[in-house]
Amino acid sequence: MEVEVFSSYLKEIRTKVDLSMVVLIIATFLTIYITRWIYRWRNPKCNGVLPPGSMGLPLIGETLQLVISSPSIDLPPFLKKRLTRYGPIFKTNVAGRPVIITADPEFNYFLLRQDGKLVDTWSMDTFAEVFDQESQSSKKYTRNLTLKHFGAEALKERVLPQMEEFIQQVLINWSNQESVEVKGASVTATINFAAKQIFSGDLENAPANISDMFKDLVEGLMSFPINFPGTSHHKCLQIHKKVREMMKEVLQKRLKSSERSEGDLLDHIIQDMNNETYINEDFIVQLMFGLLFVTSDSISTTLALAFKLLAEHPSILEELITEHEEILEKRENPNAPLTWNEYKSMTFTLQVINEVLRLGNIAPGFFRRALKDIPINGYTIPKGWVIMIATSALHLNSNQFEDPLSFNPSRWKDIQPSVVAKSFMPFGSGLKQCAGAEYSRVFLATFLHVLVTKYRWSMVKGGKIVRAPIIRFPDGFHFKMAKKAK
């Protein structure tokens, strides 16, 4: 009996030892696997030498550092620290994706002229979900369509008079209010005007405030791509769905109409549906949504910043007023509408706009994806890696722009064309420059023309600026507007 008990006891010990060994072996293999995985994360494969930098924490990379806000118009801390430590080209990891960030003017200039050869256009995950990726043929069609309705010829022949009349009414409404939060009011104005050009639309009776929806959309586009209720990313996708539903209702109403009498962009694209196989309802809805977005956020942010900077620099404002009063004095009829030649004569105004665009850095950068290994300065950018051209670092480069944080429109009088080509990219560069660049400049110049000749303004609340990484106005810019005495 005692022998059996002892034998059972030995068997129990052996079983426990075997289990311990199994657990130990599993733990050892798991530790080796995790260690190797972390090593591979920190040291990605490369047929050469990667640029310096850090891949950050496993899975999330350096995403958290990227979105830390900075209470300044200066470069975000993420960029500033790494450019100082690693130089103008460095590696990082954002939301689990390896990225090369470049602030090298020469390399960027070269890269943006290699679309379709060394690189192609790429969008962050959230952008890719919100803005459907188009084929090359549809991209070409979209660009040509946009230029036809928002390009220089359309502005000159048709849009400019409508734009001035619209802006005059906007500023009358603003001056009748106790105060105006310029950023939010500008989003509403720019969306309403763009909607009139795209689908002759009046959004005042829309089921939701589309301008507020677009504000939240912008916040979500720069968020960590986690689609879970309560996150900015989830909210962004929900807003995108609602806005698309509104656009779809507009389209279906137009399709039911037997005539194309509006002559707007929507009529144009509907007429082309029979000629191009990729033009379907989803394509049209997404195109309308995308055009509303790109014609609203950048212009409204630039306008808000211009209000603030001009209010803080009275001598620059005075020079701007002088230029526009001279335009009025040269007219036979001072109340005549603004002409294209008058717009082209606004030398100082366009310098002011350039300076606000330079300081504002509305887009944190442009993204490309390497189609093959790219050698640069002894390093190699691996095929498939994302490349971010950090425009903010170009715009605030002290080697190209003296005292880069100062608001100095006069700097543009003597600036070299090569500096403009390689270090100033508010609307992109090369073949992929934004088709609406001229539209944005004309809208801003026309707005300033009406504003400085007919109104005065002062800030009554807010004024803070943060970057995280896009520019934000946490307290808004609240201005009191008043009509000038004649």
Side-chain angles (χ1 to χ4, degrees), residues 334-363:
N335 296 318
L338 187 66
T339 68
W340 185 254
N341 287 337
E342 288 173 339
Y343 159 68
K344 298 300 284 186
S345 74
M346 297 177 185
T347 304
F348 186 68
T349 303
L350 294 174
Q351 291 171 357
V352 169
I353 291 171
N354 277 350
E355 188 70 344
V356 177
L357 288 169
R358 185 187 69 82
L359 288 169
N361 294 305
I362 311 306

Side-chain angles (χ1 to χ4, degrees), residues 275-344:
N275 302 325
E276 303 290 351
T277 56
Y278 53 79
I279 300 180
N280 51 36
E281 288 192 22
D282 285 341
F283 176 83
I284 297 173
V285 167
Q286 184 62 26
L287 178 59
M288 290 195 295
F289 168 81
L291 287 174
L292 277 181
F293 177 82
V294 299
T295 55
S296 62
D297 185 66
S298 61
I299 295 177
S300 60
T301 301
T302 305
L303 272 178
L305 190 56
F307 263 81
K308 173 181 168 63
L309 292 171
L310 289 171
E312 293 174 346
H313 296 81
S315 62
I316 294 174
L317 175 58
E318 193 59 39
E319 188 173 352
L320 188 66
I321 292 171
T322 299
E323 179 171 84
H324 287 274
E325 287 182 341
E326 287 176 355
I327 290 174
L328 298 182
E329 290 170 2
K330 291 177 181 178
R331 291 178 182 171
E332 291 184 10
N333 177 8
N335 296 318
L338 187 66
T339 68
W340 185 254
N341 287 337
E342 288 173 339
Y343 159 68
K344 298 300 284 186

Side-chain angles (χ1 to χ4, degrees), residues 299 302-303 353 357 439-449:
I299 295 177
T302 305
L303 272 178
I353 291 171
L357 288 169
Y439 170 85
S440 298
R441 292 185 188 277
V442 173
F443 192 100
L444 292 164
T446 305
F447 197 102
L448 290 174
H449 172 73

Side-chain angles (χ1 to χ4, degrees), residues 174-350:
W174 288 10
S175 65
N176 289 330
Q177 299 177 38
E178 186 64 29
S179 67
V180 177
E181 199 292 288
V182 173
K183 167 61 178 175
S186 296
V187 171
T188 301
T190 51
I191 285 179
N192 282 342
F193 185 75
K196 290 180 184 297
Q197 304 304 310
I198 298 168
F199 54 89
S200 304
D202 184 351
L203 297 173
E204 291 180 0
N205 298 318
N209 189 323
I210 196 169
S211 60
D212 286 344
M213 294 167 71
F214 268 80
K215 292 174 204 171
D216 291 333
L217 181 73
V218 172
E219 293 291 324
L221 284 172
M222 300 305 299
S223 65
F224 196 87
I226 299 177
N227 188 11
F228 189 79
T231 64
S232 296
H233 179 77
H234 179 79
K235 187 175 183 180
C236 173
L237 297 181
Q238 293 302 306
I239 291 170
H240 175 234
K241 182 179 178 181
K242 290 179 182 178
V243 176
R244 280 180 61 104
E245 288 172 354
M246 294 166 65
M247 297 296 99
K248 192 168 186 177
E249 288 179 11
V250 170
L251 171 60
Q252 290 177 342
K253 182 178 179 181
R254 186 71 64 88
L255 287 171
K256 291 176 182 177
S257 175
S258 58
E259 297 183 0
R260 304 280 168 259
S261 58
E262 299 293 349
D264 53 23
L265 184 144
L266 183 55
D267 273 357
H268 185 153
I269 196 171
I270 289 175
Q271 289 174 355
D272 290 340
M273 287 184 77
N274 296 326
N275 302 325
E276 303 290 351
T277 56
Y278 53 79
I279 300 180
N280 51 36
E281 288 192 22
D282 285 341
F283 176 83
I284 297 173
V285 167
Q286 184 62 26
L287 178 59
M288 290 195 295
F289 168 81
L291 287 174
L292 277 181
F293 177 82
V294 299
T295 55
S296 62
D297 185 66
S298 61
I299 295 177
S300 60
T301 301
T302 305
L303 272 178
L305 190 56
F307 263 81
K308 173 181 168 63
L309 292 171
L310 289 171
E312 293 174 346
H313 296 81
S315 62
I316 294 174
L317 175 58
E318 193 59 39
E319 188 173 352
L320 188 66
I321 292 171
T322 299
E323 179 171 84
H324 287 274
E325 287 182 341
E326 287 176 355
I327 290 174
L328 298 182
E329 290 170 2
K330 291 177 181 178
R331 291 178 182 171
E332 291 184 10
N333 177 8
N335 296 318
L338 187 66
T339 68
W340 185 254
N341 287 337
E342 288 173 339
Y343 159 68
K344 298 300 284 186
S345 74
M346 297 177 185
T347 304
F348 186 68
T349 303
L350 294 174

Side-chain angles (χ1 to χ4, degrees), residues 9-272:
Y9 177 70
L10 287 176
K11 189 180 295 185
E12 184 179 343
I13 292 176
R14 191 178 298 114
T15 301
K16 289 181 179 180
V17 170
D18 289 344
L19 285 174
S20 297
M21 288 297 295
V22 169
V23 170
L24 181 60
I25 291 169
I26 291 174
T28 300
F29 276 107
L30 190 60
T31 300
I32 293 172
Y33 175 81
I34 292 173
T35 301
R36 287 174 59 84
W37 181 72
I38 291 174
Y39 178 82
R40 287 197 300 268
W41 175 274
R42 292 178 175 175
N43 301 274
K45 289 183 179 180
C46 177
N47 296 321
V49 180
L50 283 168
S54 169
M55 304 306 286
L57 297 172
L59 299 178
I60 64 173
E62 295 190 308
T63 312
L64 298 179
Q65 295 95 315
L66 177 66
V67 299
I68 292 174
S69 62
S70 170
S72 168
I73 205 166
D74 198 357
L75 283 176
F78 176 85
L79 272 180
K80 198 165 188 176
K81 290 178 181 178
R82 284 156 183 77
L83 289 172
T84 301
R85 181 182 301 174
Y86 303 122
I89 300 177
F90 64 90
K91 69 175 181 287
T92 184
N93 188 292
V94 179
R97 188 180 297 276
V99 178
I100 296 293
I101 295 182
T102 166
D104 185 312
E106 296 296 334
F107 179 59
N108 296 347
Y109 184 77
F110 163 77
L111 205 63
L112 288 169
R113 279 149 185 79
Q114 295 299 314
D115 279 311
K117 301 173 185 176
L118 288 180
V119 296
D120 62 4
T121 304
W122 184 86
S123 297
M124 293 185 297
D125 294 342
T126 309
F127 275 88
E129 288 183 74
V130 172
F131 300 99
D132 295 340
Q133 302 299 300
E134 301 177 76
S135 65
Q136 287 302 318
S137 56
S138 64
K139 285 178 181 178
K140 184 177 180 180
Y141 174 83
T142 298
R143 183 175 181 82
N144 290 338
L145 183 72
T146 304
L147 287 172
K148 183 175 180 60
H149 287 268
F150 293 94
E153 287 303 313
L155 290 162
K156 181 179 179 179
E157 296 173 4
R158 175 179 54 83
V159 180
L160 179 57
Q162 299 176 25
M163 190 179 282
E164 183 182 20
E165 183 180 356
F166 174 84
I167 290 170
Q168 287 173 344
Q169 189 57 54
V170 166
L171 289 174
I172 288 172
N173 293 338
W174 288 10
S175 65
N176 289 330
Q177 299 177 38
E178 186 64 29
S179 67
V180 177
E181 199 292 288
V182 173
K183 167 61 178 175
S186 296
V187 171
T188 301
T190 51
I191 285 179
N192 282 342
F193 185 75
K196 290 180 184 297
Q197 304 304 310
I198 298 168
F199 54 89
S200 304
D202 184 351
L203 297 173
E204 291 180 0
N205 298 318
N209 189 323
I210 196 169
S211 60
D212 286 344
M213 294 167 71
F214 268 80
K215 292 174 204 171
D216 291 333
L217 181 73
V218 172
E219 293 291 324
L221 284 172
M222 300 305 299
S223 65
F224 196 87
I226 299 177
N227 188 11
F228 189 79
T231 64
S232 296
H233 179 77
H234 179 79
K235 187 175 183 180
C236 173
L237 297 181
Q238 293 302 306
I239 291 170
H240 175 234
K241 182 179 178 181
K242 290 179 182 178
V243 176
R244 280 180 61 104
E245 288 172 354
M246 294 166 65
M247 297 296 99
K248 192 168 186 177
E249 288 179 11
V250 170
L251 171 60
Q252 290 177 342
K253 182 178 179 181
R254 186 71 64 88
L255 287 171
K256 291 176 182 177
S257 175
S258 58
E259 297 183 0
R260 304 280 168 259
S261 58
E262 299 293 349
D264 53 23
L265 184 144
L266 183 55
D267 273 357
H268 185 153
I269 196 171
I270 289 175
Q271 289 174 355
D272 290 340

